[in-house]
């Protein structure tokens, strides 16, 4: 029997996984990758160490218009399946409180084992090959090849029984992500939920930033939308010349940016001493003053906060609210090039959550970040790429 011919667009995380699963299930697979090499973005993940999954799966790990869309693919190719799969192809896991990294400490090794596995299954990877359009072939005599689709690149055309769109998003300049997948999907009739940067720092209104730029400090940050509490995160905050950054800010950024883009007011309230209650904070300040009556207000905070932050806090009218509820109005996120992922993307209502096949265009499958799904920091975005890629590859090959 003739093998099913599958073209995968994008040799990133979800594309490589989809290709391996499709080839493992008997298909002849070609990946088209616009970069000069596969897996460029994977190499940049986890600060070059690749946090490829997480053993703990919180309920709110994924966001999107329909976050529950992830559940089917995540149960078909689960975290356990991911760990097992990578062990089999060579990645020995290093477990840091549930966050898994390759023991080699090198994201590059994840790309290498994926490429070796793909090659062993006969997957062809064509680099410097950008897909520019997907044409649905008419049935009958016009379609000499009998294939459903023709994928056009600048210099060639590829016939396929099925096409897997694994183009990724518009985030990060490292991988040259250009968002061309949205255009390909749109031309096939798909709706694109507006795409914004996510997992990124936030620009804010204010005058404190020049003074506090460069400070790293523990804190809790709470997001208020139109005055109503929405969500809070705790961890190391990085105070910058334009606003605020750090993992807790990244986690809230998707909601804050989408709210601002939709004309809503997004406010951050920072508690620089979250381990103490309001009463305990007042008592602590009183205790420090009592023991060192010779100190000025600024000096009383030395040893409690970094110097640059003390300057900002003591410039406020009331010290305790400044420490516990320092308020910042979000104006925007950073550019796409500085974001780790994007929120928004192809409307998941138009995609079958079990197979990843388009409901509008049978034979076309969509994976990873191209879809209107974004994960929190901690390995969840790559897990989504592995699970959605695996589901698409397996079903496309059937
Ligand atoms: C700095 C950074 C750190 C990160 N760290 C982590 C982490 O530690 N853990 C985690 O879970 N997630 C992390 N992420 C997010 C994670 O890398 C992505 O969510 C994931 O790679 C998305 O996989 P994907 O297959 O959808 O897209 P990508 O991995 O982006 O792959 C898409 C591929 O398609 C190619 N392509 C696009 N359009 C075309 C076209 N028209 N023709 C041919 N090729 C095309 C691109 O060149 C690219 O190679 C990080 C992201 C960044 C930027």
């Amino acid at each position: 029997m003739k093998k099913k011919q599958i073209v995968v667009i994008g040799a990133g995380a979800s594309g490589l996984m989809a290709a391996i699963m499709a080839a493992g299930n008997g298909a002849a697979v070609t990946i088209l990758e616009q970069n000069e090499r596969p897996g460029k973005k994977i190499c940049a993940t986890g600060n070059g160490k690749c946090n490829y999954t997480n053993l703990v799966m919180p309920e709110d790990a994924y966001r999107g218009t329909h976050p529950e869309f992830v559940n089917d693919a995540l149960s078909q190719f689960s975290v356990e399946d991911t760990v097992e799969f990578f062990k089999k192809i060579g990645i020995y896991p290093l477990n840091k409180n549930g966050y898994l990294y390759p023991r080699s400490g090198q994201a590059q090794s994840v790309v290498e084992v994926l490429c070796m596995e793909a090659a062993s299954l006969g997957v062809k990877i064509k680099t410097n090959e950008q897909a520019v359009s997907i044409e649905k072939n008419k049935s009958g005599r016009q379609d000499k090849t009998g294939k459903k689709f023709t994928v056009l690149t600048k210099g060639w055309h590829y016939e396929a029984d099925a096409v897997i769109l694994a183009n990724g998003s518009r985030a990060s300049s490292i991988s040259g992500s250009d968002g061309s997948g949205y255009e390909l999907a749109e031309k096939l009739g798909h709706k694109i939920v507006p795409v914004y940067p996510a997992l990124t720092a936030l620009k804010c209104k204010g005058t404190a930033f020049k003074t506090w730029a460069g400070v790293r400090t523990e804190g809790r940050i709470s997001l208020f939308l139109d005055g109503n509490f929405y969500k809070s995160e705790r961890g190391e905050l990085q105070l910058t010349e334009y606003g605020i950054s750090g993992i807790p800010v990244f986690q809230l950024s998707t909601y804050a940016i989408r709210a601002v883009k939709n004309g809503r007011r997004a406010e951050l309230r920072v508690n620089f001493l979250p381990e103490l209650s309001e009463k305990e904070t007042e008592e602590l300040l009183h205790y420090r003053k009592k023991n060192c009556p010779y100190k000025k207000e600024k000096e009383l905070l030395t040893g409690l906060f970094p110097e640059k932050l003390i300057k900002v806090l003591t410039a406020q009218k009331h010290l305790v609210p400044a420490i516990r509820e320092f308020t910042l109005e979000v104006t925007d996120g950073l550019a796409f090039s500085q974001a780790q992922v994007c929120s928004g993307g192809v409307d998941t209502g138009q995609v079958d959550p079990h197979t990843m096949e388009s409901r509008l265009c049978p034979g076309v499958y969509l994976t990873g970040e191209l879809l209107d799904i974004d994960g929190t920091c901690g390995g969840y975005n790559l897990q989504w790429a592995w699970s959605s890629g695996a589901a698409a590859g397996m079903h496309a090959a059937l």
Side-chain angles (χ1 to χ4, degrees), residues 9-15 32-35 37-42 44-47 50-53 101 129-132 166-169 171-172 174-181 184 199 339-341 367-370 376 378-383 385:
I9 304 178
S14 68
L32 308 179
E33 169 54 55
Q34 64 188 4
N35 288 333
R37 58 187 166 88
K40 248 180 140 174
K41 192 182 274 184
I42 300 175
T45 57
N47 285 327
C50 187
N51 172 205
Y52 65 99
T53 188
Y101 298 82
E129 195 69 321
Q130 186 184 39
V132 291
N167 304 61
S169 68
S172 147
I174 303 155
S175 55
S177 304
D178 57 3
S180 65
L184 293 176
L199 297 190
Q340 287 201 358
V341 298
T367 63
E369 236 185 278
L370 178 61
T376 49
Y380 303 105
N381 284 293
L382 281 174
Q383 182 58 56

Side-chain angles (χ1 to χ4, degrees), residues 58-279:
E59 259 182 29
D60 61 351
Y62 293 99
R63 302 87 181 272
T65 313
H66 306 288
E68 70 285 358
F69 178 82
V70 300
N71 295 341
D72 200 322
L74 284 175
S75 62
Q76 282 179 73
F77 194 78
S78 64
V79 172
E80 292 72 31
D81 296 327
T82 303
V83 177
E84 214 37 52
F85 168 84
F86 277 104
K87 264 191 197 163
K88 275 191 190 150
I89 67 168
I91 295 298
Y92 189 86
L94 177 70
N95 182 342
K96 289 192 182 169
N97 299 323
Y99 294 59
L100 296 197
Y101 298 82
R103 179 71 178 72
S104 62
Q106 291 179 315
Q108 175 66 31
S109 42
V110 173
V111 179
E112 281 173 18
V113 296
L114 286 168
C115 288
M116 286 189 259
E117 182 68 9
S120 79
L121 292 164
V123 172
K124 292 185 192 130
I125 305 181
K126 307 270 183 192
T127 51
N128 295 313
E129 195 69 321
Q130 186 184 39
V132 291
S133 81
I134 302 166
E135 291 180 0
K136 286 190 253 179
N137 296 330
K138 296 192 181 85
S139 54
R141 258 182 296 156
Q142 290 112 312
D143 177 22
K144 289 183 216 130
T145 61
K147 300 285 179 227
K148 267 176 107 170
F149 303 98
T150 303
V151 180
L152 299 174
T153 63
K154 279 183 188 145
W156 201 247
H157 57 93
Y158 297 83
E159 307 297 334
D161 297 298
V163 179
I164 300 177
L165 267 75
N167 304 61
S169 68
R170 196 169 279 160
S172 147
S173 53
I174 303 155
S175 55
S177 304
D178 57 3
S180 65
Y182 304 126
E183 284 159 39
L184 293 176
E186 209 166 19
K187 277 190 198 145
L188 293 170
H190 288 272
K191 195 183 125 202
I192 310 296
V193 174
V195 177
Y196 300 124
L199 297 190
T200 185
L202 293 171
K203 291 185 194 167
C204 303
K205 244 188 215 168
T207 50
F209 310 137
K210 267 206 175 118
T211 315
W212 78 14
V215 167
R216 284 172 183 251
T217 186
E218 280 295 305
R220 181 189 296 123
I221 185 157
S222 304
L223 174 66
F224 287 75
L225 298 178
D226 295 328
N228 300 313
F229 172 76
Y230 191 75
K231 220 173 185 328
S232 79
E233 294 282 341
R234 189 169 163 173
E236 191 188 64
L237 303 171
Q238 294 174 30
L239 310 178
T240 68
E241 67 280 6
Y242 52 78
I244 192 158
S245 184
I247 302 289
V249 177
F250 278 29
Q251 305 289 44
L252 297 177
S253 61
T254 188
Y255 307 112
I257 295 169
R258 193 160 290 275
V260 169
K261 299 284 183 192
N262 286 311
R264 300 178 69 191
R265 185 181 162 85
E267 209 176 73
L268 299 172
R269 295 191 199 157
V270 189
N271 184 345
F272 291 107
L273 208 51
E275 60 272 41
L276 300 187
S277 67
E278 188 175 349
K279 190 163 173 271

